[in-house]
Amino acid sequence: MNTATETVAPLIEHRIAKNYFTEGGHTLKSWLLTTDHKRIGVLYLISIVFYFVIAAIAAALMRMELITPAGDMVTSETYNKLFTIHGTLMVWFFLIPSIPAVLGNFVLPMMLGARDVAFPKLNLLSWYLFNAGGLLALYAVTFGGVDTGWTFYTPYSSTYSNSHVLTMAAGIFIAGFGTILTGLNFIITTHKLRAPGLTWFRLPLFVWSMYSTSAIMILATPVLAMTLTLMGIERIWGVGLFDPKLGGDPVLFQHLFWFYSHPAVYIMILPGMGVMSELVTCFSRKPIFGYHFVAFSSVAIAVLGFLVWGHHMFTSGQSIYASLVFSYLSYMVAVPSAIKVFNWTLTLHRGSISLSTPMIYALGFVGLFTVGGLTGLFLAAAGLDVHVQDTYFVVAHFHYIMVGGMVTAFMGGLHYWWPKITGRMYPEKFGQLAALTMYLGFNLTFFPQFVLGYLGMPRRYHAYAPEFQIYNVMSSAGASILGVAYLLPLIYFLWSLKYGKKAPANPWKATGLEWQTTSPPPKHNFHETPIVDTPPYQYSAEATEAELLSISNKETPYG
Amino acid sequence: MTTVSKKTYLFVWLALLAFLALTWGLANVNLGPFNNVFALCISIAKMALVVLVFMHGRWEKALTWIFIAAGAIWFLIMVDLTLSDYLTRKDITNARTTWKHPEQNPPTLMPGKGD
Amino acid sequence: MADAQLALQKQFDEMPQQKEAATLGMWAFLATEVLFFGGLFLSYIIYRTNYPHAFAEASHHTVVMFGTLNTAILLTSSFTMALAVHAARENNTKWLFRFLLVTIVLALAFLAVKGLEYREDLREHLWPGPQFRPDLPPQAQIFWILYWIMTGVHAVHVTVGVGLLSRMAWMTSRRKFSDAYYTPIEISGLYWHFVDIIWIFLYPLLYLIQRYS
């Protein structure tokens, strides 16, 4: 039998369907005090979209300034604040929570066949911590901004900056504990709440990615908390550990900061890789190529990611010996990522590929992440990094990974699971259009930045030499296209809530326990605890509906 | 799960106090570099007693030990690789001899500025 | 037993599963705490490696008697906490309550001694800044910054522990625990032992550098 479960949950169309929206209360209070992981996922989605918009506006203003070489739109101080706001909000209040706190919260317990996460109240607490931190960040943004860059390097942040450093740092500190709670929850849930028969190697790869991400979250984030505390103490009391007058070393701040922040960038890509494994298999109707390799690669990325932070400090005064060690280790961490790309590609090979919106995003991810990853290797070579450090080359590299990779995957996952979350289908044509627009806009925005960096344009500058203008204009033009590409889903997702076609339980005919329950799911996910006895991704290009589904549905939205 | 007897707890507590006396005593004797070594070893021994007996570590399953080990190992990674920078910086190595007043020996952390 | 079943939360199937999840969750949290304090210990290691003499000189001004006394107090409080968990396991709520109370009293004693010590340190002008005692090298201020922050953060954790154990004592008095269900006591104990372990390392690092000279 190819069915994933032995129990069959009846799909009955009610006039008023019982799902997690209708059960558990309709009031605002029932949502704000919910412990249902699905509602918390939705709450997070609303929150992160809010911070994304603010950070995107900051980016838009930056790109507008950069259309002309002269710094004529904003002062340099204002520009510094813009890129700091963009960086801090995007990293801590959008990207880090994005897939884990939205899709992970919603889908992970269901993929495990569980009724909820292990600690539902801590889950709600994490959302409140996230927003408490966000409020402080908003205060800092509204009342004058921060101008240190998202990296808060000392001594500028601890001694010389006159902006709202402490407020922003406090906001990040508090939000960080929200992240830790999410990670802790996912780890314990994965260990303790798996359905009967669901062994580790029967788990969807999304779970492996979320588990690895969670390990990074709980081991790295506390160091950030302490680092910001130490910087804050030096700022408040005027004396501190990074003060050269006492024999302190500002570079120690960088060691502490990057010990967290490098693993943090793996928090900002691993979940996207997890989504990729789900999308690529479903839309090529094939099991993943090399399941064990992909699973272990997730763990390898999480572990090796902690060993490479010094590659951010090649030009900071770190010893040459340490730079050598970090450079070598940075080359090693690229290997598991490459293995994953290889395996996704081979999953596509001889698959029955359908170019639905999630798949367009997934295919885009493969190309964009590969470019980002390869340029990472350029940067990992200490000798080459000396020339491109603090230039637009670095900016392009990390945007290819974080936007071309993670945001693309987030959009793909959001489209994929939207029917499950809301019970509605989004309009497919607009979805495909937005995905393509995003791909084109993204490349136009960021590819010229590689050239800019190579030619020597420094980052974080609001004015630049005139010979760089053509590439900046291309980049800014691309950014406006990218803006449209993000606006489209915002509009049609909201539209779909009221006017979208009602979604069946399994619109994509995907494997996985989350598709074995209704769309949207009932409050406790499953009417009966599923029992698992097959490996994941049991797709077959020739399989019939009946073979794949326990809940069959004759009507498929897209034919 | 095995029940630990009150007597075991008592012995561990007395052992911890004995280690405390030992660590204080040894600090008052000049053993050169071994002062640090002994202090660290005694602290680790005390930690081991607390983790194994008071925190029931001896009877915990392997998964718990993976979590414990992860915390310790990740801390050591942080220390080890950071030290790989500081121990190989020439100018700090030179400064690590005797302290001189800043007027005679201004602190400098930029490499290659002369020793 | 009815109380125990009432404590079973909906996402779990059985009590042992819930207990294992709670215990594992606390151990995971303690791992995060190791990394949290780890940043401080790292800074200490780096600066002591670079300025061994300044650190030795600076640490001679800590009050060893207070430090040693506090270590003994905390070690004993770990002992009484273990006895509290033991009492819970034996369904002896009377002694569970008493041992929790003793642990709390010892924790408060620790804080009191720390308070006295801080007062002494301030009197000796050991607060970093322009008023710092001038007979010590500037790197000694780095030692003292670490001293204040490390013991301060530790004291915050002790205070949180007092709050946690007080809540445990209150719940015990309301008969929430029996030998069938005492998980919160156990995981509070884990937290408390961890606070003790941090101090086990702080003590020699802060108080016992080259005490023979």
Side-chain angles (χ1 to χ4, degrees):
Chain A
M1 281 283 280
N2 270 348
T3 52
T5 69
E6 288 179 9
T7 59
V8 175
L11 172 62
I12 305 167
E13 294 281 358
H14 281 134
R15 269 212 143 248
I16 302 167
K18 280 186 77 178
N19 56 55
Y20 74 99
F21 284 110
T22 57
E23 299 175 285
H26 300 266
T27 60
L28 183 63
K29 184 172 161 190
S30 73
W31 275 82
L32 292 180
L33 290 179
T34 183
T35 51
D36 180 355
H37 66 100
K38 300 183 287 300
R39 288 193 171 191
I40 294 175
V42 172
L43 290 174
Y44 262 111
L45 178 60
I46 299 169
S47 302
I48 66 169
V49 168
F50 174 69
Y51 294 110
F52 177 81
V53 168
I54 302 174
I57 292 173
L61 292 170
M62 284 159 63
R63 285 278 18 128
M64 278 202 268
E65 167 65 271
L66 291 174
I67 293 176
T68 57
D72 46 8
M73 200 181 98
V74 294
T75 61
S76 56
E77 284 83 14
T78 307
Y79 189 82
N80 295 350
K81 291 175 182 175
L82 286 175
F83 65 67
T84 306
I85 290 166
H86 176 74
T88 48
L89 290 185
M90 281 298 191
V91 166
W92 282 298
F93 296 96
F94 174 67
L95 269 174
I96 284 180
S98 60
I99 294 180
V102 177
L103 299 175
N105 256 324
F106 198 97
V107 159
L108 182 88
M110 294 172 63
M111 282 184 166
L112 299 176
R115 289 187 285 283
D116 208 313
V117 289
F119 309 117
K121 287 189 238 164
L122 288 185
N123 206 5
L124 181 67
L125 178 62
S126 83
W127 184 72
Y128 276 103
L129 288 172
F130 170 78
N131 280 303
L135 270 174
L136 284 171
L138 270 182
Y139 177 92
V141 167
T142 317
F143 288 96
V146 187
D147 64 348
T148 58
W150 80 279
T151 46
F152 293 106
Y153 275 11
T154 56
Y156 187 64
S157 60
S158 55
T159 312
Y160 300 105
S161 171
N162 288 321
S163 57
H164 293 281
V165 176
L166 281 174
T167 318
M168 182 65 91
I172 296 167
F173 183 100
I174 294 172
F177 278 97
T179 308
I180 291 174
L181 286 180
T182 300
L184 206 145
N185 233 330
F186 285 175
I187 289 178
I188 307 300
T189 306
T190 310
H191 277 289
K192 286 281 146 204
L193 291 183
R194 280 173 284 135
L198 194 49
T199 57
W200 281 89
F201 292 121
R202 288 181 179 164
L203 289 168
L205 288 165
F206 182 72
V207 178
W208 279 92
S209 287
M210 290 314 312
Y211 185 89
S212 307
T213 306
S214 301
I216 303 177
M217 281 173 166
I218 69 171
L219 290 169
T221 315
V223 178
L224 174 74
M226 184 49 75
T227 310
L228 292 175
T229 306
L230 292 174
M231 182 264 290
I233 286 175
E234 185 158 342
R235 194 173 167 78
I236 296 174
W237 272 286
V239 278
L241 295 179
F242 312 119
D243 185 355
K245 286 198 298 291
L246 305 177
D249 185 9
V251 178
L252 180 62
F253 173 88
Q254 294 184 30
H255 275 293
L256 287 166
F257 178 83
W258 287 110
F259 180 83
Y260 159 79
S261 293
H262 188 85
V265 314
Y266 290 107
I267 297 176
M268 295 189 276
I269 191 60
L270 264 175
M273 293 173 158
V275 172
M276 277 296 290
S277 296
E278 302 303 309
L279 299 182
V280 161
T281 49
C282 176
F283 293 101
S284 21
R285 314 308 298 168
K286 268 186 72 187
I288 190 82
F289 179 89
Y291 174 95
H292 288 79
F293 271 90
V294 179
F296 287 132
S297 290
S298 296
V299 178
I301 291 172
V303 173
L304 290 173
F306 274 92
L307 305 180
V308 301
W309 77 83
H311 66 226
H312 298 271
M313 298 158 61
F314 286 149
T315 58
S316 295
Q318 186 176 252
S319 80
I320 304 239
Y321 174 78
S323 296
L324 266 173
V325 170
F326 280 118
S327 176
Y328 177 73
L329 289 167
S330 301
Y331 271 87
M332 287 181 56
V333 79
V335 173
S337 296
I339 289 176
K340 286 192 173 199
V341 174
F342 185 73
N343 285 21
W344 293 320
T345 311
L346 279 177
T347 306
L348 293 170
H349 176 61
R350 297 242 182 130
S352 173
I353 296 179
S354 65
L355 291 174
S356 325
T357 306
M359 188 55 155
I360 298 180
Y361 281 114
L363 292 173
F365 180 106
V366 174
L368 299 176
F369 174 74
T370 303
V371 171
L374 289 175
T375 51
L377 291 175
F378 284 44
L379 294 165
L384 182 51
D385 182 75
V386 169
H387 296 280
V388 289
Q389 171 66 355
D390 281 331
T391 68
Y392 265 85
F393 194 90
V394 180
V395 175
H397 155 74
F398 64 70
H399 280 96
Y400 262 82
I401 309 243
M402 297 204 291
V403 184
M406 183 74 159
V407 176
T408 305
F410 177 62
M411 296 301 283
L414 200 56
H415 284 79
Y416 182 61
W417 279 299
W418 188 258
K420 183 59 57 181
I421 296 172
T422 61
R424 300 282 180 158
M425 301 303 297
Y426 58 86
E428 176 68 6
K429 288 286 171 249
F430 278 102
Q432 290 168 319
L433 175 68
L436 283 169
T437 312
M438 214 214 80
Y439 186 81
L440 293 169
F442 174 85
N443 277 307
L444 185 58
T445 311
F446 289 105
F447 199 86
Q449 293 186 6
F450 279 127
V451 181
L452 277 173
Y454 186 72
L455 291 175
M457 178 177 170
R459 63 186 283 203
R460 295 175 166 171
Y461 275 43
H462 77 320
Y464 54 83
E467 60 257 34
F468 298 137
Q469 182 169 24
I470 174 69
Y471 302 105
N472 274 294
V473 170
M474 287 167 70
S475 184
S476 296
S480 48
I481 300 176
L482 206 53
V484 171
Y486 289 132
L487 214 52
L488 275 173
L490 188 60
I491 297 172
Y492 65 64
F493 274 141
L494 285 171
W495 174 92
S496 78
L497 289 177
K498 191 139 190 255
Y499 301 107
K501 216 184 268 197
K502 278 213 168 25
N506 194 350
W508 313 116
K509 306 213 205 40
T511 64
L513 291 177
E514 74 268 28
W515 302 106
Q516 305 300 327
T517 187
T518 56
S519 300
K523 185 159 188 270
H524 289 297
N525 300 339
F526 301 98
H527 293 293
E528 274 176 51
T529 307
I531 300 173
V532 179
D533 56 3
T534 49
Y537 310 121
Q538 291 293 283
Y539 292 106
S540 158
E542 295 97 22
T544 62
E545 276 179 44
E547 273 186 343
L548 279 171
L549 299 172
S550 324
I551 302 170
S552 65
N553 190 319
K554 303 218 182 334
E555 199 187 287
T556 67
Y558 303 133
Chain B
M1 159 142 62
T2 2
T3 316
V4 186
S5 71
K6 290 202 284 284
K7 208 155 39 133
T8 313
Y9 287 140
L10 179 69
F11 283 148
V12 168
W13 175 60
L14 293 171
L16 287 170
L17 290 178
F19 273 128
L20 173 60
L22 183 63
T23 202
W24 174 83
L26 285 178
N28 284 295
V29 180
N30 186 351
L31 302 162
F34 284 99
N35 275 108
N36 289 340
V37 176
F38 284 143
L40 200 57
C41 286
I42 295 172
S43 288
I44 292 176
K46 284 153 99 179
M47 175 180 69
L49 280 173
V50 174
V51 171
L52 288 168
V53 184
F54 284 168
M55 294 171 93
H56 245 256
R58 245 197 77 191
W59 300 276
E60 284 284 350
K61 21 200 221 121
L63 183 59
T64 314
W65 277 103
I66 292 177
F67 281 39
I68 299 173
I73 291 172
W74 258 252
F75 170 67
L76 290 173
I77 290 173
M78 186 167 68
V79 171
D80 182 39
L81 284 173
T82 309
L83 274 176
S84 81
D85 176 17
Y86 284 94
L87 290 178
T88 56
R89 287 199 202 169
K90 206 158 75 103
D91 52 336
I92 292 184
T93 317
N94 287 340
R96 246 194 290 144
T97 45
T98 41
W99 175 74
K100 297 197 199 82
H101 193 280
E103 276 168 5
Q104 298 161 307
N105 181 28
T108 164
L109 290 154
M110 292 304 295
K113 282 234 154 150
D115 309 321
Chain C
M1 298 309 144
D3 268 343
Q5 279 311 110
L6 274 174
L8 180 67
Q9 295 177 32
K10 285 197 216 66
Q11 65 273 20
F12 294 106
D13 293 320
E14 293 158 352
M15 284 305 284
Q17 183 195 27
Q18 179 172 303
K19 179 175 182 183
E20 280 171 22
T23 310
L24 214 53
M26 179 49 84
W27 279 108
F29 175 70
L30 294 180
T32 72
E33 291 273 62
V34 169
L35 270 307
F36 184 65
F37 278 96
L40 289 170
F41 281 101
L42 171 73
S43 305
Y44 177 95
I45 290 171
I46 297 299
Y47 285 129
R48 179 163 164 188
T49 310
N50 288 328
Y51 308 122
H53 301 282
F55 263 52
E57 245 194 281
S59 90
H60 289 167
H61 293 267
T62 58
V63 187
V64 188
M65 188 198 72
F66 283 148
T68 314
L69 175 62
N70 259 347
T71 313
I73 290 174
L74 227 48
L75 290 173
T76 310
S77 76
S78 242
F79 177 43
T80 56
M81 185 70 226
L83 289 173
V85 176
H86 185 268
R89 202 171 287 135
E90 308 262 286
N91 209 19
N92 194 338
T93 44
K94 190 170 72 171
W95 277 101
L96 164 60
F97 185 80
R98 288 175 181 174
F99 281 128
L100 281 174
L101 230 47
V102 172
T103 311
I104 293 169
V105 166
L106 288 169
L108 291 171
F110 176 92
L111 290 172
V113 171
K114 204 84 207 99
L116 291 171
E117 189 182 355
Y118 278 162
R119 200 175 62 168
E120 186 60 30
D121 295 327
L122 288 172
R123 216 182 275 145
E124 292 285 311
H125 299 286
L126 290 163
W127 181 262
Q131 310 300 326
F132 191 79
R133 48 189 305 149
D135 59 334
L136 286 174
Q139 295 90 339
Q141 286 199 53
I142 299 215
F143 172 88
W144 277 95
I145 292 169
L146 282 166
Y147 167 89
W148 287 102
I149 299 178
M150 288 170 109
T151 58
V153 173
H154 179 262
V156 168
H157 281 77
V158 171
T159 310
V160 169
V162 168
L164 186 62
L165 294 177
S166 301
R167 181 170 161 76
M168 291 299 118
W170 183 82
M171 285 171 79
T172 308
S173 71
R174 309 277 277 160
R175 299 177 200 295
K176 300 279 188 188
F177 301 122
S178 67
D179 60 343
Y181 174 68
Y182 59 95
T183 312
I185 303 284
E186 254 186 330
I187 62 179
S188 301
L190 288 177
Y191 174 81
W192 188 252
H193 294 303
F194 173 78
V195 171
D196 183 27
I197 290 174
I198 292 290
W199 186 262
I200 284 174
F201 282 94
L202 283 183
Y203 169 64
L205 291 177
L206 295 176
Y207 293 91
L208 298 184
I209 310 180
Q210 290 180 14
R211 279 282 168 183
Y212 47 81
S213 44

